């Protein structure tokens, strides 16, 4: 085989493994919980592989062994029957032991996921078709705030998310950090994680929830503790006043054109609850629940025609003149 072809084949064979690392992978854990889950997975995989190989070997041996021709097909062989009975009994007991042992392994692996650490940072997350509302709760109400589609957390500190849904069932899943948990209307589920390394991890709704389910993602940005504290203080502030006349015009149009019916910008008269909070939209990294990276172009495209980017999503196409669009676009960009 020519060496170039061989190299190509090796590359091709290794290609699927490329999916095993990165910012959305259960096989590349970056938190205490995901490491526990990976360990549980490996134990199950190894035990199941050994059992499967043993079964196949015994089956192959049985198929290949020919009965001796002198033996009558229906003749009984009491010593053999006796031995066979003992083997079956032994295997039955081994099965029970393996299943019990795996239950213990599974329970131990989940303990950190369902732990209720008293000093955990608590976030209330509500699933909407098709975006995530995130409430940072604090003891005093003026330190609590809401954001969307992007969760910033400190590393080395347990984070507990309390999950609920505003409409259908969704599922919260950040493979690099923790296990999966459903968001259900009228029921609060909880899950915990402690990120080990700073970085951006991708989360994804993991329960089919309608047309744009695949575009219901979010980012978890794990920051060093002091950086997180600074971000939290900034995020807690209301939107500053518009920086220039165009931004002021944008702020007025934001209300005049109906955006404020669905969106909140804290510190202004915009207090809508149907869509994501936009108080600090200018500092987020993605738009439309992880569908696109946020930049000037994608923001403009979204305002011009949200139904083109995410067909069926619950933001209607707004009839804006181009100068109105430019003003609103400018206003949103300076909401850092
Ligand atoms: C009927 C309610 C409604 C109206 C009116 C509305 N929006 Fe939205 N908007 C939404 C919803 C719902 C989403 C989330 C869409 C998704 O990601 O599935 C959204 C998303 C957005 C986003 C992206 C937010 C993010 O976190 O990614 C921006 C920016 C935005 N809207 C701006 C506007 C502007 C500007 C107007 C007025 C011209 C407006 N919206 C009018 C409901 C509305
Ligand atoms: Cu969903």
């Amino acid at each position: 085989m020519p060496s170039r072809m061989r190299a190509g084949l090796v590359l091709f064979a290794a290609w699927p493994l490329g999916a095993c690392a990165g910012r959305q992978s259960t096989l590349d854990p970056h938190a205490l919980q995901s490491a526990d889950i990976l360990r549980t997975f490996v134990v199950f995989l190894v035990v199941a592989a050994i059992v499967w190989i043993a079964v196949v070997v015994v089956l192959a041996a049985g198929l290949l062994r020919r009965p001796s021709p002198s033996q009558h097909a229906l003749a009984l062989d009491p010593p053999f029957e006796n031995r066979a009975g003992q083997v079956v009994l032994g295997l039955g007991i081994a099965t029970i032991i393996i299943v019990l042992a795996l239950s213990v392994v599974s329970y131990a692996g989940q303990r950190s996921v369902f732990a209720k650490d008293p000093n955990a940072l608590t976030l209330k997350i509500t699933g909407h078709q098709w975006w995530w509302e995130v409430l940072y709760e604090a003891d005093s109400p003026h330190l609590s705030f809401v954001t969307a589609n992007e969760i910033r957390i400190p590393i080395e500190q347990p984070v507990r998310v309390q999950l609920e849904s505003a409409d259908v069932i969704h599922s919260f899943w950040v493979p690099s950090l923790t296990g999966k948990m459903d968001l259900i209307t009228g029921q609060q589920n909880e899950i915990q994680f402690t990120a080990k390394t700073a970085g951006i991890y991708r989360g994804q709704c993991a329960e089919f929830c309608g047309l744009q389910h695949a575009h219901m993602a979010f980012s978890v940005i794990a920051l060093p503790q002091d950086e997180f504290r600074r971000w939290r203080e900034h995020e807690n502030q209301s939107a500053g006043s518009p920086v220039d006349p165009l931004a002021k015009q944008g702020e007025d149009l934001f209300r005049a054109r109906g955006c404020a019916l669905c969106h909140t910008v804290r510190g202004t008269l915009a207090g809508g609850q149907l869509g994501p909070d936009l108080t600090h939209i200018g500092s987020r990294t993605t738009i439309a629940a992880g569908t696109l990276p946020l930049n000037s172009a994608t923001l403009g495209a979204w305002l011009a025609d949200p139904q083109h980017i995410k067909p069926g999503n619950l933001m209607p196409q707004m009839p804006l003149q181009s100068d109105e669009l430019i003003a609103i676009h400018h206003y949103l960009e300076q909401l850092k």
Side-chain angles (χ1 to χ4, degrees):
M1 193 187 292
S3 70
R4 190 162 321 143
M5 197 164 152
R6 210 175 317 149
L9 269 180
V10 169
L11 266 183
F12 184 73
W15 171 55
L17 290 175
C20 298
R23 55 197 204 108
Q24 186 178 347
S25 171
T26 43
L27 302 179
D28 186 11
H30 287 274
L32 183 72
Q33 286 71 7
S34 48
D36 282 352
I37 292 172
L38 179 61
R39 209 170 304 121
T40 311
F41 169 70
V42 170
V43 171
F44 269 70
L45 184 69
V46 168
V47 171
I50 292 173
V51 170
W52 182 79
I53 290 170
V55 168
V56 170
V57 166
V58 171
L59 185 68
L63 286 173
L64 293 176
R65 225 173 63 169
R66 292 170 185 270
S68 56
S70 64
Q71 214 174 354
H72 190 277
L74 295 177
L76 283 180
D77 179 356
F80 175 79
E81 305 277 320
N82 204 2
R83 265 183 290 132
Q86 279 167 359
V87 169
V88 170
L89 181 68
L91 287 178
I93 292 172
T95 306
I96 292 172
I97 291 175
I98 290 176
V99 169
L100 286 179
L102 286 182
S103 306
V104 172
V105 169
S106 162
Y107 176 75
Q110 288 176 35
R111 267 172 42 131
S112 60
V113 175
F114 297 116
K116 289 192 181 351
D117 245 294
N119 66 340
L121 167 74
T122 305
L123 307 181
K124 276 209 165 105
I125 298 187
T126 309
H128 295 259
Q129 281 176 322
W130 291 276
W131 57 281
W132 307 83
E133 178 186 336
V134 186
L135 167 65
Y136 283 75
E137 270 199 311
D139 292 336
S140 89
H142 71 274
L143 292 176
S144 307
F145 59 86
V146 172
T147 176
N149 297 332
E150 191 173 286
I151 302 167
R152 298 206 183 201
I153 56 162
I155 54 171
E156 309 287 355
Q157 189 194 337
V159 176
R160 182 156 74 237
V161 290
Q162 300 180 329
L163 305 166
E164 246 186 278
S165 169
D167 36 49
V168 300
I169 298 177
H170 305 274
S171 178
F172 177 92
W173 194 28
V174 195
S176 308
L177 298 180
T178 191
K180 221 183 258 178
M181 181 57 76
D182 277 1
L183 296 88
I184 299 171
T185 5
Q187 176 183 323
Q188 200 172 70
N189 290 339
E190 289 191 356
I191 196 165
Q192 184 172 308
F193 51 95
T194 312
K196 289 274 172 226
T197 27
I200 303 183
Y201 306 104
R202 190 173 185 275
Q204 168 71 47
C205 178
E207 175 89 39
F208 181 72
C209 57
L211 204 55
Q212 285 299 337
H213 159 69
H215 288 147
M216 184 168 167
F218 57 100
S219 332
V220 179
I221 305 182
L223 300 169
Q225 305 234 354
D226 48 343
E227 213 174 305
F228 171 75
R229 217 167 300 123
R230 255 178 283 138
W231 172 81
R232 186 175 178 147
E233 268 164 31
H234 175 77
E235 196 72 14
N236 185 44
Q237 288 163 16
S238 301
S241 9
V243 289
D244 52 41
L246 187 60
K248 178 81 192 80
Q249 193 193 341
E251 188 193 20
D252 295 340
L253 283 166
F254 192 80
R255 261 176 292 133
R257 292 289 167 268
C259 315
L261 294 174
C262 293
H263 293 287
T264 293
V265 177
R266 274 178 278 131
T268 72
L269 292 174
Q273 299 290 328
L274 280 174
D277 183 293
L278 300 180
T279 309
H280 295 288
I281 177 75
S283 62
R284 292 217 274 269
T285 54
T286 66
I287 188 171
T291 305
L292 291 170
L294 177 65
N295 56 44
S296 201
T298 53
L299 180 60
W302 177 263
L303 299 182
D305 190 356
Q307 293 298 322
H308 177 76
I309 291 172
K310 205 165 163 179
N313 92 81
L314 301 183
M315 171 161 162
Q317 189 186 352
M318 308 298 289
L320 298 173
Q321 303 296 327
S322 61
D323 56 334
E324 296 174 333
L325 195 150
I326 289 168
I328 293 179
H329 179 266
H330 180 69
Y331 168 61
L332 292 179
E333 272 200 317
Q334 52 93 62
L335 289 178
K336 297 274 187 203

